[in-house]
Amino acid sequence: MRYSRIIAGTMSWGRWGKSLSIKDMCERIEHCVAHNITTFDHADIYGGYTTEAEFGKALTETGIDRENIQLISKCGIQYVCENRNNTVKHYNYTKDYIIWSVEESLKHLNTEYLDLLLLHRPSPLMNPEEIGETITILKKQGKIRSFGVSNFTPSQMDLIGLRMDVDVNQIEFSLTQHLAMHDGTLDYIKSNGITPMAWSPLGSVFREENEKTKRIRKQLGALSSKYEATEDQLLLAWIMKHPAGIIPVVGTTNKNRLKQAMDASKIDLELEDWFLILVACQGHKVP
């Protein structure tokens, strides 16, 4: 597999979350790698365009061999913040901007290449011919190794795929947000050999308290002793059971939860247990 079975999402490592020090980031990176979480998911906008540089400094200080990890970044969103002179949030997928964004990410992350570049969100003005030309240049220059998208529908993947291979689609997917199983997104991904990654893989289970989440947690609690697993591990195992090969992107900075997330990849839910969890979410039996 090109990426680790669990990906460490870095959105909350910096100013948009825990504001970890460089020392703390070093410890998290080393902890992840020690537990076989070798893929780190970034976006240029995280922390208002500051987190990549902080992570890059920490990565250098760890001395970890670059070839032993995988770095993902995303570009395209022009965010309104003190580090950009933007008047409105928008998307920019012009050739010059994509190349500039990648070069900025490489500089900030202290690396010569990205293992994967993603277009962060679809834009109504994206031009597949221009994007295809740009990605070809970046690959020939060795600045990116793979290309993908994030939050794209099947038709949008088709559009971008006119001029280049789409290797990955990073989508919102969890027990409480599983529309991609029913709207054709995961079918398309599986049929076209695309790797799906799931952001917010725990969904709303621990963020909200309502009838749905109460049902879910009751069912997870009933299965916890059977699998000797925590509730969040069962939620990750539920995602990884899907035949599309979904890779969860976990956003926690807690060392113990990072290890537990990786351990969840060893859980193989029995078929009926997978459906018990789904039914608990839906509140009714499957059709």
Side-chain angles (χ1 to χ4, degrees), residues 216-271:
I216 292 170
R217 297 197 69 174
K218 181 179 179 180
Q219 183 60 71
L220 295 175
L223 292 171
S224 289
S225 58
K226 176 178 179 178
Y227 289 96
E228 298 182 343
T230 63
E231 293 178 357
D232 51 334
Q233 284 180 314
L234 291 175
L235 289 170
L236 295 174
W238 186 86
I239 289 173
M240 290 186 280
K241 181 77 172 177
H242 195 280
I246 304 168
I247 307 176
V249 180
V250 300
T252 184
T253 60
N254 181 285
K255 293 180 185 178
N256 186 49
R257 289 187 62 196
L258 283 164
K259 179 183 181 301
Q260 287 179 339
M262 194 61 190
D263 289 341
S265 65
K266 303 171 187 175
I267 300 171
D268 184 13
L269 289 175
E270 293 180 8
L271 182 66

Side-chain angles (χ1 to χ4, degrees), residues 92-100 130-131 133-134 137:
N92 190 337
Y93 290 128
T94 59
K95 176 182 175 181
D96 289 345
Y97 182 77
I98 292 174
I99 291 175
W100 179 82
E130 184 174 9
I131 293 171
E133 177 189 355
T134 307
I137 291 171

Side-chain angles (χ1 to χ4, degrees), residues 141-197:
Q141 292 176 341
K143 293 178 179 177
I144 67 172
R145 292 190 171 179
S146 291
F147 167 76
V149 297
S150 183
N151 305 296
F152 276 49
T153 65
S155 64
Q156 290 163 342
M157 284 185 276
D158 265 339
L159 177 65
I160 294 300
L162 288 173
R163 293 294 181 269
M164 76 214 84
D165 291 333
V166 175
D167 302 316
V168 170
N169 190 3
Q170 189 176 119
I171 59 173
E172 182 179 8
F173 187 79
S174 65
L175 175 63
T176 56
Q177 177 50 276
H178 54 260
L179 181 62
M181 289 198 305
H182 306 295
D183 67 1
T185 299
L186 285 176
D187 297 337
Y188 181 97
I189 283 171
K190 178 66 174 174
S191 299
N192 288 276
I194 296 170
T195 298
M197 297 175 180

